[in-house]
Structure formats: C-alpha cells, structure tokens
Amino acid sequence: MAAKRKATKRKTSSKKTASKKTTKVATTKNRSPKTVTKIQLPSMGKARLNPYALGYSLALLKAACVLVTSLFAKAGMATSWAEAMQKWLLSYSLSVGGIIAGMAEGAVYGLVTGFLLAWLYNKFQ
C-alpha cells in the first residue's frame, strides 16, 4: 500500500504545469499594484512570397481570363473586351489559333508580372 502511494506521488509531481509570466504594475498612490499577465506570441519572422508560385498563378489566371473573354466574345456578349484585348495582346484574334496564341502571350505576361512583383516585395521588405 505504501509503495502505491509513493508511485502516485511520483506521477503527480512529474506533471508539468504551464507557467505564466506576471509582472506587477504600479498604479496611483492610493491603490495597490495590479498583476498583469503578459502573453508572448511566437515570432513569425518576415513573410516572403515565392516568386515562381505567384508567377505561375498569375499566368494561369491571365490565360483563363483570355479564354473566358474570348468565349463570351464569340457568343456576342463581350465584343468590346475582345477589341481591347486585340490592342493589348499582339497575337490575339477571335480565331481558334488567335485565342490560343493570346492565351500563351497572356500567360507569359502574367508569369513575368507575378515573378517581378514577388521579387520586388521580397527585396524591399
């Protein structure tokens, strides 16, 4: 029986409890000092962007936007957008080959833009 009590004492004494950092803050003359608990958050460091990930995601987004806009323009709904894209993208037209070429050109522009934006963000951070 005595050995069992010692074993339970060892188990309870080996448990770790969370420690709180407390400090006493002085208040006005007539009041007693207050105890304040400080919470420290883990340091996250500097956030960095992956240039390749941002570049690839903007490339896919730009190619998808060119495709969707072209499909709407073929249906007769977004003709003014297609005319604007013909001014911005040199190889774009409303033919099948022109849409594929416009998607490739837009993907290249998105890739370069995303890579440069992430690189500049990381450089000046």
Side-chain angles (χ1 to χ4, degrees):
M1 190 80 160
K4 195 173 190 179
R5 284 186 201 161
K6 286 182 184 178
T8 57
K9 272 189 176 181
R10 285 184 200 148
K11 287 182 183 177
T12 56
S13 63
S14 66
K15 290 182 181 177
K16 294 181 181 179
T17 58
S19 61
K20 295 180 181 178
K21 293 183 180 181
T22 58
T23 57
K24 292 189 176 183
V25 178
T27 57
T28 59
K29 294 178 184 177
N30 297 334
R31 295 184 183 174
S32 62
K34 294 181 178 179
T35 303
V36 177
T37 304
K38 290 185 178 179
I39 299 172
Q40 291 182 347
L41 297 175
S43 176
M44 296 299 288
K46 292 183 178 180
R48 298 185 56 82
L49 292 176
N50 185 352
Y52 293 103
L54 186 61
Y56 292 147
S57 62
L58 285 183
L60 287 174
L61 182 66
K62 180 67 176 175
C65 286
V66 170
L67 177 65
V68 168
T69 304
S70 300
L71 292 176
F72 278 126
K74 283 253 187 195
M77 290 188 261
T79 55
S80 61
W81 291 0
E83 291 170 3
M85 278 199 311
Q86 285 177 350
K87 293 177 185 175
W88 298 331
L89 302 173
L90 301 175
S91 60
Y92 176 77
S93 67
L94 278 178
S95 66
V96 174
I99 292 172
I100 293 172
M103 287 174 61
E105 185 180 353
V108 169
Y109 291 157
L111 178 72
V112 171
T113 302
F115 187 85
L116 288 177
L117 283 175
W119 182 77
L120 287 172
Y121 177 82
N122 293 335
K123 187 76 172 173
F124 291 114
Q125 187 179 19

